[in-house]
Amino acid sequence: MPSKAEEENVSIKVGINGMGRIGRANLRYSLQHPDIEVVAVNDITDGQSSGVRWRRRIRR
């Protein structure tokens, strides 16, 4: 049975607060599911530092 989001063809909009272990896991999960759209990421570091950490984790 399709979910309500699938029936209406809408995405779930999500904001991630922090790019620690759980934030990165949530981002990975949402990248694998097209019905989830990450609209904001809040972290204590600047965007460039977060991007560098994220790219290093992807390579592993």
Side-chain angles (χ1 to χ4, degrees):
M1 176 178 239
S3 69
K4 186 174 183 177
E6 291 171 340
E7 288 176 2
E8 296 177 4
N9 199 19
V10 292
S11 63
I12 301 167
K13 295 184 180 181
V14 177
I16 298 176
N17 188 18
M19 286 301 289
R21 178 176 53 93
I22 295 171
R24 288 191 310 268
N26 286 326
L27 183 59
R28 271 189 223 105
Y29 181 85
S30 62
L31 290 174
Q32 296 171 355
H33 293 82
D35 60 329
I36 300 175
E37 179 183 358
V38 177
V39 294
V41 175
N42 182 21
D43 197 15
I44 59 173
T45 62
D46 62 355
Q48 186 174 6
S49 297
S50 294
V52 168
R53 280 190 295 156
W54 177 249
R55 283 189 294 274
R56 286 182 186 158
R57 297 277 181 186
I58 293 275
R59 290 184 200 151
R60 290 182 183 183

